[in-house]
Amino acid sequence: LRVLRPSEPRDFRFVPDDPEAIYLAYMDQVAGLYGAVPAGNSAAWEATMQEITEEGVPLFEQLPDELSRREQARILKAYYSELLNGARQLTKSTK
């Protein structure tokens, strides 16, 4: 049984407190945003989308081991929710 915390970001509501699962859920949502934009979108749009959503080293790999999984999950869910919000705004501007 998974209990939702009121402060938990909506994007990751049903994702377990596992850093890798959160990252994979984020990537799935990013892929969906790319798919929502009509073919032939501008190179500038794509470059901006990449700047917002892509990481050289994913944040989940950079968090200190000293943090509990719950704390890591809280940080990741908040961080990736903000990135998704920015990507959604960019996607809306193309429609």
Side-chain angles (χ1 to χ4, degrees):
L1 177 65
R2 178 144 163 67
V3 176
L4 295 178
R5 292 178 293 279
S7 62
E8 188 167 84
R10 190 183 71 200
D11 295 312
F12 301 100
R13 202 177 323 184
F14 301 106
V15 179
D17 285 350
D18 173 60
E20 192 168 350
I22 295 164
Y23 180 71
L24 292 174
Y26 163 72
M27 293 305 294
D28 284 345
Q29 292 182 57
V30 168
L33 290 172
Y34 270 98
V37 174
N41 54 13
S42 74
W45 177 89
E46 190 165 333
T48 304
M49 187 69 155
Q50 288 174 344
E51 285 178 28
I52 293 170
T53 61
E54 293 184 14
E55 304 171 285
V57 177
L59 181 60
F60 84 91
E61 293 179 0
Q62 301 177 51
L63 293 176
D65 292 333
E66 294 80 27
L67 293 176
S68 70
R69 285 174 61 98
R70 187 177 196 174
E71 184 64 14
Q72 288 179 3
R74 187 190 65 72
I75 291 167
L76 292 171
K77 288 177 179 182
Y79 175 72
Y80 288 126
S81 284
E82 287 300 315
L83 294 183
L84 286 169
N85 287 336
R88 282 189 193 102
Q89 290 301 318
L90 179 64
T91 301
K92 285 179 186 177
S93 72
T94 64
K95 294 181 178 181

